[in-house]
Amino acid sequence: MSSTLVIIPTYNEAENIEEIVHRVRVNVPAADVLIVDDNSPDGTGDIADGLSDDGKIWVLHRTFREGLGAAYIAGFGWGLDRQYDVLVEMDADGSHRPEELSTLLAAVEQGADLVIGSRWVRGGSVVNWPKRREILSKGGNRYARTMLGLPVRDATGGYRAFKRETLLGLDLGDVESQGYCFQVDLTRRTVGAGFTVVEVPIMFVERVRGESKMSGQIVREALWRVTAWGIRRRYRKLRSFGRNG
Ligand SMILES: Nc1nc2c(ncn2[C@@H]2O[C@H](COP(=O)(O)OP(=O)(O)OP(=O)(O)O)[C@@H](O)[C@H]2O)c(=O)[nH]1
Ligand SMILES: [Mg+2]
């Protein structure tokens, strides 16, 4: 059996952390959980410490808030050092339902190198999102897919399971993207390295408690980085066409 680590980054998730960890433990008891907390002012880190006494729940305390991307990179490093076979990304706010985790893990067992829990494939859905969030997510995905040539409907989705070998093949040391575009960045790297990506439909549920960290700055970062990656990709293609054609 593969050993699995579910990585949950947190910033001010005091109202959510206990429930989400409980749901992971109930639904996939064999998996370990790593909470990566960036010194949340609301005490999420202390609550997490209180959960971590059964040998399956771990907490990585970081001193500064550095964004979702940096938190995941730290969590991946922690898990790779400890030889986990599968590393899962999951939000703390309940949007990524632990009840669907075994579906993602089954796709890994069947051979996928990266499994994305997808809102925008047949059978996927979003619950309680305002129309503007749906438009932003669908539009952002269409833009990323076109600019980067990605064979993926939900490249910004953050509910994912990576095989350890996939992460080891991605050169995580030079990842700079922080917000949503961290997910696009990892998708693009995974596809570019020739790994297999499989999307499984999920029901994404808008958070009920706590505050979203989504911001204009996160959207702007995604837009300029995807644009820059896309231009570089086209330039490289043209150059190699010029050389070979
Ligand atoms: N460690 C850490 N976690 C973060 C940081 N920013 C966001 N998170 C966590 O990352 C997860 C996703 O953040 P959300 O605020 O839900 O953002 P989102 O899912 O993109 O936006 P919504 O769809 O509006 O919820 C949550 O568990 C957050 O607590 C950060 O800077 N550091
Ligand atoms: Mg969220």
Side-chain angles (χ1 to χ4, degrees):
M1 239 291 274
S2 303
S3 59
T4 300
L5 180 67
V6 179
I7 303 171
I8 306 178
T10 53
Y11 193 77
N12 286 349
E13 300 288 1
E15 295 169 278
N16 290 316
I17 189 63
E18 202 162 352
E19 182 188 322
I20 196 76
V21 170
H22 174 72
R23 284 167 64 189
V24 173
R25 299 285 301 118
V26 167
N27 284 282
V28 186
D32 283 14
V33 176
L34 175 68
I35 299 151
V36 184
D37 185 66
D38 281 6
N39 206 357
S40 297
D42 74 349
T44 304
D46 296 333
I47 299 172
D49 282 336
L51 304 173
S52 55
D53 59 1
D54 74 348
K56 301 289 281 179
I57 305 168
W58 308 89
V59 188
L60 183 58
H61 294 278
R62 289 156 46 80
T63 319
F64 302 108
R65 183 172 186 193
E66 285 186 285
L68 185 74
Y72 270 126
I73 299 285
F76 290 152
W78 191 98
L80 291 171
D81 283 350
R82 287 162 183 78
Q83 309 303 322
Y84 287 94
D85 299 313
V86 180
L87 297 97
V88 173
E89 298 184 8
M90 182 186 282
D91 286 358
D93 58 7
S95 291
H96 302 152
R97 298 164 62 237
E99 293 71 19
E100 291 176 315
L101 178 52
S102 45
T103 316
L104 272 74
L105 296 177
V108 174
E109 294 294 333
Q110 281 163 23
D113 299 312
L114 162 61
V115 177
I116 302 180
S118 181
R119 296 161 289 190
W120 308 126
V121 291
R122 188 183 295 270
S125 60
V126 166
V127 176
N128 288 342
W129 250 15
K131 195 71 192 164
R132 64 187 159 77
R133 279 301 300 267
E134 186 176 327
I135 291 167
L136 184 65
S137 178
K138 282 186 174 162
N141 268 297
R142 198 170 303 125
Y143 187 62
R145 196 163 62 237
T146 318
M147 284 301 272
L148 308 175
L150 299 174
V152 170
R153 309 304 295 184
D154 197 351
T156 58
Y159 194 9
R160 301 179 162 208
F162 287 93
K163 258 187 197 151
R164 133 183 216 91
E165 292 74 19
T166 312
L167 289 173
L168 289 172
L170 296 190
D171 225 350
L172 296 175
D174 66 358
V175 172
E176 288 175 355
S177 32
Q178 295 176 348
Y180 275 148
C181 71
F182 172 76
Q183 308 297 0
V184 180
D185 198 354
L186 262 61
T187 310
R188 140 192 114 89
R189 286 165 188 258
T190 302
V191 171
F195 290 113
T196 321
V197 182
V198 169
E199 288 182 278
V200 299
I202 58 161
M203 181 203 284
F204 178 101
V205 184
E206 173 62 331
R207 67 160 72 237
V208 178
R209 291 184 299 270
E211 273 175 33
S212 170
K213 280 97 212 168
M214 172 72 174
S215 65
Q217 198 217 324
I218 285 178
V219 177
R220 284 193 295 278
E221 186 204 7
L223 193 61
W224 78 257
R225 281 198 200 273
V226 169
T227 305
W229 293 328
I231 290 171
R232 203 182 319 154
R233 175 173 165 270
R234 276 159 202 214
Y235 177 69
R236 282 197 185 133
K237 256 183 151 171
L238 275 176
R239 264 205 340 202
S240 73
F241 187 68
R243 270 200 302 271
N244 306 327

